[in-house]
Amino acid sequence: MKYIVRAIKYFFYYVIILAVIMTALILLDLVKADPAEMFRQGWKSVGEILLLFGVVAAVYPKFGFTRRTANVPGEWSQIRQGVVDYMEVRGYRLEKEEGETMTFRLRNKVNAISRMLEDRVTMTRCLEGLELEGLTKDIVRIVGGLEYKFRVEDSGEEADEQ
C-alpha cells in the first residue's frame, strides 16, 4: 500500500512541476496558453507526457526507497545514544521509539517538503547491527556514516586499552 501511495504522490509531484514550468512560460509570454500551439501534437502530447509521468512514478519508489543493514557492533544500550547523536548532527530528530526501533524525521521542514514528506528514516536493531529503511540517497549516506562512526569509536577504545 505504501508503494502505491508513493507512486501516486510522485505522479502528482511531476504534474505540478510541469504545470509550474508551463505557467511560467505562459506568464513570460514565451508560449501561448493553448496546448494545441504549445505542443507539436497538442492534446495528444499532453496525454503522452502524463503517460510518461505515470510510468516514471510507478517505477521510482522501487529504486528511490531502500532497506539496508549497517554493521554497528555492540549492545543496544551501548549504541543507542550514539545513533541518536549521529542522526541529530545529520539534521534529524527522533520521532518515536518502540523497543529497539527508532524513527527519525528531518528537523528542517523545507527539506521535508521538498522530499514530499518522505523524509522518515526507520532503524531497527537486527543481528548484523541496524536495519535502516527510507530514501535510498539518505540511507546510503547514513549507513556509511554510522559504520564509520562506530568503527572509529571501537578502534579508539581498543587503542586506549593497549
Side-chain angles (χ1 to χ4, degrees):
M1 185 64 176
K2 192 186 294 187
Y3 187 94
I4 293 169
V5 170
R6 284 178 175 159
I8 292 169
K9 266 185 176 179
Y10 277 97
F11 176 77
F12 284 110
Y13 181 68
Y14 299 142
V15 169
I16 289 169
I17 288 174
L18 177 66
V20 167
I21 291 170
M22 297 312 300
T23 302
L25 291 173
I26 292 167
L27 292 174
L28 293 171
D29 204 26
L30 297 172
V31 296
K32 298 196 187 244
D34 182 18
E37 294 182 31
M38 195 180 300
F39 300 105
R40 284 187 187 182
Q41 297 178 351
W43 283 104
K44 182 179 179 193
S45 293
V46 172
E48 290 171 352
I49 291 170
L50 293 177
L51 181 64
L52 176 68
F53 286 170
V55 170
V56 172
V59 174
Y60 181 75
K62 178 72 175 162
F63 301 105
F65 296 88
T66 191
R67 184 180 300 206
R68 296 220 175 140
T69 302
N71 295 320
V72 178
E75 294 295 319
W76 181 249
S77 58
Q78 298 170 330
I79 65 170
R80 183 203 170 277
Q81 191 57 47
V83 169
V84 171
D85 292 343
Y86 175 79
M87 293 300 286
E88 285 180 0
V89 168
R90 299 273 311 161
Y92 288 86
R93 65 176 168 75
L94 182 61
E95 180 184 39
K96 68 179 178 180
E97 183 174 6
E98 295 173 356
E100 294 184 347
T101 299
M102 295 187 290
T103 304
F104 295 89
R105 299 292 299 259
L106 283 171
R107 277 194 306 264
N108 186 327
K109 294 300 176 197
V110 174
N111 284 343
I113 290 170
S114 72
R115 297 168 188 215
M116 296 188 315
L117 302 177
E118 293 285 353
D119 62 326
R120 183 174 283 120
V121 173
T122 303
M123 294 185 190
T124 305
R125 185 76 172 137
C126 65
L127 189 59
E128 298 84 21
L130 291 171
E131 185 177 83
L132 287 80
E133 181 180 358
L135 277 169
T136 301
K137 66 180 182 176
D138 293 338
I139 297 303
V140 169
R141 290 180 190 136
I142 293 169
V143 166
L146 284 171
E147 288 178 345
Y148 178 78
K149 174 184 174 57
F150 284 96
R151 182 178 37 222
V152 168
E153 287 180 2
D154 287 344
S155 65
E157 291 174 4
E158 292 171 5
D160 291 340
E161 293 173 3
Q162 292 178 358

